[in-house]
Amino acid sequence: MDLLEIVGGNRLKGAIKISGAKNAALPILAATIMIDGEIVLRNVPDLADVRQMLVLLDKLGVRSERDETGAIRIQVVDEMNVHAEYELVSKMRASVCVMGPLLAKRRRTQVSMPGGCAIGDRPIGLHVQGLEALGAESELLSGDVLLKAKKLKGDHIFLGGPFGSSVTATANVMMAATLAEGRTVIESAACEPEIIDLANFLNACGARIIGQGTPQITIEGVERLTGAEHRVVADRIEAGTFMVGVAMTNGDVTLEGARLDHLCAVTDCLRRIGVIVESGEKGVVVSSARRLEPVEITTQPYPGFPTDLQAQVMALLSLADGNSVITEKIFPDRFLHVGELSRMGAQLRKEGPTVIVKGVKRLIGAQVMASDLRASAALILAGLAAKGTTQIRRVYHIDRGYERIEEKLAGVGANIRRIKDESGR
Ligand code: EPZ
């Protein structure tokens, strides 16, 4: 397995181009199942998760290819198979996003329950509940959820769960509702920018969705959706990750294409820490003063502080002058990075869903293990700031969600390289 080797201490300076958003591209790719005619998607990031979704879609009769411009051209050629198998879903939970489109277009689907992952339990009860409200009948069969419906009919659906809204449940129900008969209103819908981007794509294909980006989304069902072109929105989590990296290395970087309006909670937090964040003509400009102030952070559904940046900001606060408090309200077990950051000298004390971060002067490079996508990103950022060399194993976690991260960081002065594992393990 490849590893990343980082020699810490370099300040990040220059410009990084932000890629398209993984968490917008994945449901948008799933939505192509419902669409007649060719679709052209631009700014789709070249990630392991995207390639995995294209493999799943191919098994579901959806052909795709990247053309010479990097755009992905997609066309449904066969509607027979409706089974998203465990072998694929267990590798990538976002595969669950094919459930709504398959039910809406092919009237039946069999999707493996994703089970748990490194960040905790990943239930799909809200997805099933929302699709049942549209008229689906569900059955659990040896770890798979089977859904079928003669037709789908719009309804007024509450999608709030024990941890607030659900991003992919909102995506699944919204997608299915576009081809249901009549009006659907989703209450307690996720407000994430990736949901807005999905809705905008569906509307370009002839759907009739309003309210995307608010907790109430209204969908008027239509007969069919037809192919369109769409450019995927910039990835706010990739941008936020690099903002933290600039702060940790006292750098000065322009994040080209980043949407500052999608980063309000992150900007608020970084400014309270003492980081300068401004809107530039090419994107978001981030520079860091020498001192970092401790803060209190609680992760929330959008527009609150994103859980996908919790690990990264923990690495940053490990270097602040004083004690910070981080509380994880979305995935209470999302703390696998605590042990690895501690190996680098971070002073962290976990109390249930909260971690007390006692700032230290320096982090020290070490051999560490990546565990999940965002925890791996946090270890890279820690390595950039640490004294000495850090080696990060199981880099495949990073490749799921960050496009060419070592090239992007090296391009702004980081001393980072990928060491290929020739053994092929
Ligand atoms: C999406 O996951 C993102 N993934 C995650 O990003 C992100 O962390 C998460 O939203 C929260 O923002 C994609 O968009 C592909 P949820 P999702 O359903 O939709 C509970 C990354 O690193 N819940 O919004 O799976 C759930 O357990 C990934 O890019 C139920 O209780 O998350 C969690 O506590 C990681 N029942 C909370 O809701 C359900 O039926 C939010 O989960 C569904 C969810």
Side-chain angles (χ1 to χ4, degrees):
M1 280 178 261
D2 293 1
L3 60 86
L4 286 178
E5 183 171 90
I6 303 164
V7 178
N10 294 6
R11 300 179 60 189
L12 300 186
K13 293 175 74 63
I16 297 178
K17 191 183 171 321
I18 297 302
S19 300
K22 167 177 84 77
N23 291 347
L26 293 173
I28 287 172
L29 286 168
T32 62
I33 288 168
M34 304 191 294
I35 294 161
D36 299 330
E38 186 182 60
I39 302 114
V40 180
L41 296 178
R42 303 188 191 289
N43 203 33
V44 178
D46 183 16
L47 303 169
D49 273 12
V50 167
R51 291 193 289 274
Q52 189 72 38
M53 178 61 84
L54 293 175
V55 166
L56 172 57
L57 289 177
D58 190 65
K59 288 183 182 294
L60 296 170
V62 183
R63 300 288 176 266
S64 63
E65 59 164 1
R66 266 196 200 265
D67 68 20
E68 64 289 345
T69 68
I72 300 187
R73 295 176 177 278
I74 299 170
Q75 177 104 28
V76 177
V77 296
D78 180 300
E79 297 196 308
M80 279 313 293
N81 183 21
V82 295
H83 187 187
E85 296 168 14
Y86 177 75
E87 191 256 329
L88 287 168
V89 177
S90 57
K91 284 194 192 123
M92 185 189 59
R93 189 184 177 285
S95 313
V96 74
C97 288
V98 303
M99 194 185 270
L102 286 171
L103 180 69
K105 190 70 168 55
R106 304 182 189 178
R107 294 286 190 264
R108 68 197 201 294
T109 180
Q110 181 174 342
V111 176
S112 168
M113 297 269 279
C117 70
I119 64 177
D121 184 25
R122 307 297 296 273
I124 58 168
L126 290 173
H127 300 240
V128 176
Q129 174 192 311
L131 296 173
E132 284 175 334
L134 294 176
E137 289 167 36
S138 70
E139 183 191 347
L140 200 52
L141 179 68
S142 54
D144 288 358
V145 176
L146 281 70
L147 291 169
K148 61 183 180 201
K150 287 189 185 51
K151 69 180 174 68
L152 295 181
K153 197 166 171 347
D155 197 355
H156 202 126
I157 301 169
F158 176 72
L159 264 192
F163 298 92
S165 52
S166 162
V167 177
T168 48
T170 300
N172 256 327
V173 175
M174 182 171 73
M175 289 188 284
T178 60
L179 294 179
E181 189 184 285
R183 171 175 296 179
T184 296
V185 177
I186 302 174
E187 301 287 2
S188 191
C191 303
E192 272 72 0
E194 294 76 29
I195 292 294
I196 298 175
D197 205 40
L198 172 62
N200 293 344
F201 166 65
L202 291 166
N203 283 344
C205 297
R208 293 173 57 200
I209 303 169
I210 56 171
Q212 58 269 37
T214 78
Q216 186 188 71
I217 300 178
T218 302
I219 306 107
E220 299 293 346
V222 295
E223 282 299 308
R224 69 196 286 258
L225 298 173
T226 52
E229 295 209 9
H230 180 75
R231 181 177 174 77
V232 173
V233 71
D235 193 321
R236 62 191 169 93
I237 303 300
E238 184 195 27
T241 301
F242 290 134
M243 290 166 84
V244 171
V246 174
M248 291 186 75
T249 60
N250 293 129
D252 185 345
V253 171
T254 296
L255 300 172
E256 293 177 357
R259 292 275 301 264
L260 193 57
D261 58 325
H262 291 167
L263 288 157
C264 294
V266 179
T267 300
D268 166 66
C269 167
L270 290 176
R271 284 175 174 160
R272 283 187 287 126
I273 291 172
V275 182
I276 300 163
V277 181
E278 293 158 327
S279 180
E281 61 186 66
K282 287 192 171 177
V284 176
V285 182
V286 186
S287 54
S288 167
R290 288 257 166 228
R291 277 173 50 78
L292 298 171
E293 293 296 324
V295 293
E296 297 208 2
I297 297 168
T298 299
T299 64
Q300 303 279 358
Y302 192 89
F305 190 91
T307 174
D308 290 351
L309 286 170
Q310 180 256 105
Q312 298 90 317
V313 85
M314 187 182 291
L316 172 61
L317 292 171
S318 298
L319 294 171
D321 291 346
N323 290 357
S324 298
V325 181
I326 298 177
T327 301
E328 172 59 61
K329 288 265 193 179
I330 308 295
F331 294 109
D333 298 330
R334 191 174 199 170
F335 287 123
L336 286 177
H337 42 285
V338 169
E340 297 307 301
L341 287 172
S342 304
R343 283 176 49 73
M344 299 178 73
Q347 298 286 311
L348 308 170
R349 195 176 80 245
K350 184 175 173 302
E351 307 265 346
T354 293
V355 169
I356 315 292
V357 185
K358 185 175 181 306
V360 295
K361 279 272 167 281
R362 300 284 299 168
L363 293 173
I364 313 298
Q367 299 218 17
V368 289
M369 190 82 78
S371 56
D372 77 270
L373 169 54
R374 307 304 177 181
S376 321
L379 295 175
I380 290 178
L381 301 183
L384 295 175
K387 187 173 176 343
T389 301
T390 299
Q391 286 201 338
I392 303 170
R393 300 183 184 294
R394 297 188 182 171
V395 177
Y396 59 85
H397 288 293
I398 272 278
D399 295 333
R400 293 190 47 185
Y402 289 91
E403 196 175 26
R404 299 177 290 103
I405 192 166
E406 70 271 20
E407 287 173 35
K408 291 191 176 186
L409 286 170
V412 287
N415 183 339
I416 179 172
R417 67 191 180 108
R418 181 182 291 251
I419 300 173
K420 282 267 176 227
D421 176 351
E422 300 312 333
S423 68
R425 273 181 303 128

